[in-house]
Amino acid sequence: MLEVADRPLQTDESPTTRASTPISLNAINRWVPHDIVMRDSWFPVAHNYSVTGKPVRRAIYSHPIFLWREDGVVVASEFHPNERIARDKSVYTDVKGHYPTMEHYGVVWVWFGNPQAADPVHLPSLPFLPPKGGLPKHMTATVRFESSAPISLENLIDLTHADFLHADVVGDERSDSETVETFYDSETVTMVRTLVNKSVAPVMKFFSGIRQPTQNVRQVIRIYLRSHCAIAYGQFNPGDDVPLFHPCTPETRDRTRMEMVMNTSNAGLMFRHVMPKAGYKVSRQDSYMTSPQSPRYMRHTDRKDLHSKFDQAGQRYRMAMMELAERQEKGDFAYRDNVSADCSDIIGLRKELFQF
Ligand SMILES: [Fe+2]
């Protein structure tokens, strides 16, 4: 087992102006997310109920993955069990052509990288999901984006987009004050957005019964760089908590699959049922933005990416991804920070609501 020390997170003041930063603002603006391939990571590929005795096909970076169960245990193979043609096996699987796989949080994970390095210690911490799964199906969904996975994640971590793109669901841009803070280590980037007296989210007006015109909001987006998994955790006061697992698994370099889980068990009856379904509407709105955007980032161009002060987290995300990719290119796949350490405190989880 690989020993990974727990290190304190670093706080971002101004990521792009620090002299010590090896990757410049210019490089960040010229990044080509389609060229980034992350190895030695667990990727979520299916809700556990989707995997039965009958094989289903998934992919990570265009590598086929067939999933089925034998005596209840998940098998992840690069070959269909009925495949008779002997093909060369990839370096990502064992002698039988099987990927390391595990079930956790109600999701099937596949290790993409050196099979010898697979270790549950590298599974992202998702403290609001029951470790053994079992949430009702209506709290889960599968959504696909016609975009490179990092483009989808970069869109997510710039949460100010929600006020404009998802105003009809989560409320508009009006508030008395707004702050955005960024925290990071070599494997994660976390953005905390705090708003005072924000216009009440319409979805809460109707389904949580909020009567006040405004609410105080704290939203967190935390991205696990390698696995392309994100947490979106919102606290609305008054209102309900919205704890969302938002993975962006790179099926190909320009297609993304999201096996979404929203644990609204603690919310009121209406909200508990309606909010997870809002994910379909919200993701269509995101797709409207990211699908045309994605091909524009496929190769180096002289485009000008402009940033506001609220883009700090997005810029840090690009920088951290590029640094990790650069290390991997040199053959360094070691984890310098622990991704499975409980992140409840970092995301400000109301732990009393999520006892498993
Ligand atoms: Fe969005």
Side-chain angles (χ1 to χ4, degrees):
M1 183 186 275
L2 195 70
E3 290 293 327
V4 184
D6 286 340
R7 292 193 304 167
L9 288 171
Q10 290 178 267
T11 312
D12 249 339
E13 293 301 336
S14 178
T16 50
T17 54
R18 293 185 328 163
S20 61
T21 300
I23 293 170
S24 68
L25 178 60
N26 193 32
I28 286 171
N29 283 344
R30 287 171 57 85
W31 90 317
V32 180
H34 300 72
D35 284 351
I36 292 179
V37 170
M38 285 292 167
R39 268 191 44 174
D40 284 32
S41 175
W42 293 106
F43 286 94
V45 290
H47 294 297
N48 59 3
Y49 58 77
S50 313
V51 183
T52 62
K54 189 181 165 192
V56 290
R57 190 186 185 280
R58 296 288 191 273
I60 297 173
Y61 297 122
S62 303
H63 294 265
I65 297 166
F66 294 93
L67 301 166
W68 68 91
R69 286 182 193 273
E70 285 177 10
D71 298 323
V73 179
V74 176
V75 179
S77 169
E78 61 182 300
F79 306 113
H80 187 280
N82 295 342
E83 204 169 347
R84 290 180 193 169
I85 310 150
R87 282 194 283 120
D88 281 345
K89 181 188 97 46
S90 78
V91 296
Y92 304 113
T93 55
D94 66 12
V95 286
K96 289 155 86 181
H98 292 178
Y99 292 94
T101 182
M102 63 183 288
E103 279 186 71
H104 206 70
Y105 299 125
V107 173
V108 174
W109 303 79
V110 164
W111 177 266
F112 183 78
N114 172 11
Q116 306 288 326
D119 191 322
V121 80
H122 300 315
L123 198 73
S125 163
L126 307 172
F128 51 81
L129 296 185
K132 291 183 177 163
L135 288 176
K137 260 192 196 180
H138 72 82
M139 293 182 190
T140 70
T142 298
V143 174
R144 301 175 81 186
F145 295 109
E146 303 270 327
S147 105
S148 179
I151 296 274
S152 293
L153 288 163
E154 185 183 48
N155 168 63
L156 180 68
I157 204 167
D158 170 18
L159 210 54
T160 58
H161 84 269
D163 300 348
F164 305 95
L165 197 54
H166 314 304
D168 57 344
V169 181
V170 299
D172 61 32
E173 77 284 4
R174 283 172 294 179
S175 72
D176 285 353
S177 75
E178 172 167 1
T179 57
V180 172
E181 298 162 282
T182 312
F183 307 92
Y184 67 98
D185 61 21
S186 67
E187 295 288 340
T188 65
V189 177
T190 305
M191 188 273 326
V192 181
R193 182 184 185 213
T194 314
L195 298 127
V196 177
N197 294 331
K198 187 182 191 318
S199 306
V200 167
V203 72
M204 295 216 172
K205 213 178 281 177
F206 301 125
F207 301 110
S208 298
I210 307 298
R211 298 273 162 82
Q212 292 91 323
T214 63
Q215 56 192 169
N216 292 334
V217 181
R218 185 178 191 275
Q219 294 167 322
V220 180
I221 305 291
R222 174 172 171 80
I223 298 179
Y224 293 97
L225 304 174
R226 286 199 209 209
S227 61
H228 294 68
C229 288
I231 285 172
Y233 180 57
Q235 283 178 23
F236 298 81
N237 243 314
D240 287 302
D241 281 25
V242 184
L244 169 66
F245 173 47
H246 185 302
C248 287
T249 302
E251 286 197 300
T252 72
R253 295 195 315 159
D254 51 14
R255 289 181 75 100
T256 298
R257 184 185 185 101
M258 170 164 82
E259 304 283 7
M260 182 201 108
V261 187
M262 185 183 283
N263 186 358
T264 46
S265 313
N266 299 299
L269 187 69
M270 283 295 282
F271 191 77
R272 189 191 312 166
H273 284 86
V274 171
M275 193 56 196
K277 293 287 168 245
Y280 287 112
K281 179 172 192 180
V282 166
S283 55
R284 267 202 305 276
Q285 293 168 332
D286 281 320
S287 219
Y288 170 79
M289 292 307 293
T290 54
S291 300
Q293 198 184 12
S294 186
R296 292 185 203 134
Y297 284 80
M298 276 185 100
R299 50 191 63 85
H300 287 297
T301 61
D302 285 329
R303 67 169 181 262
K304 272 200 170 112
D305 279 12
L306 305 174
H307 304 279
S308 84
K309 62 176 179 170
F310 291 128
D311 284 347
Q312 187 176 295
Q315 286 171 281
R316 170 56 64 189
Y317 171 65
R318 284 190 189 186
M319 189 184 293
M321 284 292 277
M322 290 168 84
E323 281 172 2
L324 198 47
E326 211 171 88
R327 268 179 55 205
Q328 295 211 344
E329 215 145 277
K330 291 175 186 152
D332 176 6
F333 301 103
Y335 280 74
R336 292 180 182 172
D337 293 289
N338 185 358
V339 292
S340 63
D342 182 3
C343 70
S344 298
D345 292 338
I346 302 161
I347 66 171
L349 188 70
R350 287 200 263 222
K351 283 191 220 178
E352 66 277 13
L353 297 177
F354 301 96
Q355 298 290 327
F356 305 111

